[in-house]
Amino acid sequence: MNQHLSPQGIPRAQRLAERAFATLERFLHIEAVSGIVLLVSAAAALIWANSPWAESYHALWHLPLSFSIGDTEIQHSLHFWINDAFMTLFFLVVGMEIRREIHEGALSSLRQAVLPIAAAVGGVIVPALIYLSMNSAPLQQQGWAVPTATDIAFAVGVLALLGKGIPGNVRVFLLALAIIDDIIAVLIIAFFYSGGLEYNGLIPVLVGVLLVLGLQKIGIGSAWAYVIPGVLMWLGFLLTGAHPTLAGVVLGLITPVASVRVMKERPLERLSYLVHDLRHKHDTQAAEQLATPLKQLRHAQREVLPPVTRVQMVLHPWVAYGVMPLFALANAGVSVNGIDLSGAGPHGVMLGVTLALVAGKLLGVVGVSWLMVRFGGCQLPPDVSWRGVFLIGLLAGIGFTMSIFIAMLAFDDTQLLGVAKLGVLLGSLIAATLGLLWGRYYARSRRVLQAGAQA
């Protein structure tokens, strides 16, 4: 059989699969560790906000921070810069994850993607319906989307605690579902929580997109060149009234999946030639004459990975260990003393969010998956049982980052925002605990079955 071979004789399909699994493994490792960092940050925020130093907690995030260029000055609170500026990097990584998954991951094949897409949609609709059934007042109903989101870092982090007893395809299914969940969350933010749009702001957004596409067309591979167009898009979305973090999603989705530079040689062949040339010049020329070949070597090294993978690899640790924990520290500090659950409104919001995350996500994910397998012609992925799908449904109820983010867009009322955040924290904690308990039972039952099969 004729196969496309690399110079080393490795089939192209095998090389693509190995690269995809290596990227996935690195992604899962970062998400697993960052989930623990997120948990510590959230706990620190809760303790700080309910300690004798609670006033300093709230004062810190309202600290004004300004930037000025000539006579133009932009001043906002530290809380704004974290939620509206730094979180753009988070959404940029989300956009690139979506782009990569559509190109070569779990969403690259419609047949492969149908089941996680359907499960994710079920995991959005059912929690929203549960929440709305418990909140009839218009002001409370604004939070219908709060319990529809899944936090990838927390969910994968809990799954990592269960060890290798959980099949790899369960992790892939959960990751695909969470990424689709992110797509839906971004669409919800864009269409339901952007308010009345000022369409003049779309002009700088369009200019930013055209600049990005133009830079890609002429082969500019340095990520720094795209900072100014990205800032222009961010300012444009801010002017429209849409949430400015959407600039990160747009920029991530148009990040190329192949090198933007046209090269006569393959990147690895170019690297091999440059290393050989550099070794020869190092032996025959002065050190100051090596600057040009070293620069060429850095450029060739950069082109080995496509931009969507390279930029994500650089940004992902910063987002996972910096931006997201900072977001958790700034937003998870709910003062329990200031919450009054005696009224029907706050009580309904908190209970609705909690129940929707714990029960709604589970019913939506498992129920729609069963319907798709039973009537939709889908099949469960290899080595994924219904017990594994049940585990995915439980872990999908860990909302945290995105749920809190949506809550802040949904509620202007301080009281309702506080109880919504408390509901997210409580629901996510219950979902994580149930997921750990069920996951241990699931892993143990698999080991017993495997031992019986070997005997």
Side-chain angles (χ1 to χ4, degrees):
M1 183 181 294
N2 185 27
Q3 293 180 320
H4 295 287
L5 299 178
S6 69
Q8 292 78 21
I10 303 174
R12 182 174 180 270
Q14 181 181 337
R15 288 188 291 115
L16 289 175
E18 289 174 352
R19 186 176 66 183
F21 277 111
T23 305
L24 176 62
E25 188 175 312
R26 184 178 184 275
F27 175 85
L28 291 174
H29 174 72
I30 292 176
E31 293 292 359
V33 178
S34 69
I36 299 172
V37 178
L38 266 179
L39 182 61
V40 172
S41 299
L46 277 172
I47 294 171
W48 190 358
N50 292 279
S51 72
W53 303 279
E55 189 176 338
S56 66
Y57 173 83
H58 297 290
L60 173 63
W61 308 119
H62 288 89
L63 191 70
L65 187 62
S66 63
F67 296 93
S68 60
I69 302 175
D71 295 332
T72 304
E73 183 181 34
I74 302 176
Q75 179 174 302
H76 289 284
S77 66
L78 180 58
H79 194 266
F80 170 88
W81 290 113
I82 292 172
N83 290 358
D84 294 59
F86 287 175
M87 283 296 284
T88 304
L89 294 177
F90 165 77
F91 281 97
L92 173 59
V93 172
V94 168
M96 287 189 288
E97 287 169 7
I98 295 169
R99 181 74 180 93
R100 189 170 53 80
E101 288 295 319
I102 291 173
H103 176 65
E104 62 180 9
L107 306 181
S108 59
S109 163
L110 182 60
R111 182 178 179 182
Q112 185 180 2
V114 165
L115 187 58
I117 288 174
V121 171
V124 169
I125 293 175
V126 176
L129 292 176
I130 289 177
Y131 177 88
L132 289 173
S133 70
M134 303 178 68
N135 294 275
S136 56
L139 192 61
Q140 298 162 229
Q141 287 185 341
Q142 292 177 1
W144 66 269
V146 174
T148 63
T150 297
D151 189 295
I152 297 180
F154 259 137
V156 173
V158 172
L159 197 62
L161 294 176
L162 297 171
K164 296 183 178 180
I166 306 300
N169 277 346
V170 171
R171 302 173 193 272
V172 174
F173 194 115
L174 175 62
L175 184 61
L177 183 146
I179 289 174
I180 298 161
D181 197 287
D182 280 343
I183 298 174
I184 299 173
V186 168
L187 294 174
I188 288 173
I189 291 171
F191 289 106
F192 294 98
Y193 293 111
S194 292
L197 294 180
E198 180 59 52
Y199 292 102
N200 289 336
L202 292 177
I203 296 175
V205 173
L206 181 60
V207 172
V209 171
L210 292 176
L211 282 174
V212 169
L213 297 178
L215 290 171
Q216 293 173 2
K217 186 69 175 178
I218 61 177
I220 303 298
S222 174
W224 291 106
Y226 297 87
V227 171
I228 292 178
V231 171
L232 195 61
M233 292 164 61
W234 184 87
L235 289 171
F237 276 110
L238 184 64
L239 291 173
T240 62
H243 206 274
T245 53
L246 293 175
V249 180
V250 174
L251 190 57
L253 289 174
I254 60 176
T255 303
V257 293
S259 175
V260 297
R261 296 187 65 187
V262 179
M263 301 180 68
K264 296 180 180 179
E265 303 167 288
R266 292 180 179 178
L268 288 178
E269 293 174 351
R270 179 67 175 165
L271 273 176
S272 178
Y273 167 77
L274 288 172
V275 168
H276 180 270
D277 185 52
L278 184 63
R279 185 184 295 115
H280 172 72
K281 290 181 178 179
H282 183 269
D283 295 334
T284 59
Q285 298 182 12
E288 58 270 14
Q289 295 177 307
L290 300 178
T292 299
L294 281 172
K295 183 178 180 181
Q296 293 174 338
L297 185 62
R298 285 194 299 270
H299 288 169
Q301 184 181 14
R302 186 177 63 199
E303 297 305 318
V304 171
L305 292 174
V308 73
T309 302
R310 185 178 72 246
V311 178
Q312 185 189 17
M313 287 176 63
V314 172
L315 286 180
H316 196 188
W318 289 96
V319 169
Y321 302 132
V323 173
M324 292 176 67
L326 188 59
F327 174 84
L329 188 63
N331 295 283
V334 181
S335 178
V336 178
N337 294 329
I339 290 179
D340 182 12
L341 293 175
S342 58
H347 183 267
V349 169
M350 193 191 82
L351 191 59
V353 170
T354 303
L355 189 61
L357 280 173
V358 177
K361 277 289 188 180
L362 177 64
L363 290 172
V365 170
V366 177
V368 171
S369 296
W370 184 84
L371 289 174
M372 291 300 295
V373 172
R374 181 72 175 82
F375 302 107
C378 293
Q379 292 183 339
L380 292 179
D383 212 20
V384 176
S385 65
W386 286 111
R387 291 179 180 179
V389 177
F390 196 86
L391 175 61
I392 292 169
L394 286 171
L395 296 181
I398 305 175
F400 199 68
T401 305
M402 193 69 84
S403 289
I404 291 179
F405 189 87
I406 293 175
M408 290 187 299
L409 299 177
F411 295 114
D412 293 325
D413 184 275
T414 306
Q415 184 72 6
L416 292 182
L417 177 58
V419 294
K421 286 184 180 181
L422 195 59
V424 170
L425 295 174
L426 186 60
S428 298
L429 179 62
I430 294 173
T433 303
L434 292 176
L436 275 174
L437 293 174
W438 179 263
R440 291 188 183 281
Y441 162 73
Y442 172 48
R444 186 167 59 250
S445 64
R446 288 190 74 252
R447 286 195 295 269
V448 171
L449 287 174
Q450 289 173 352
Q454 290 175 356

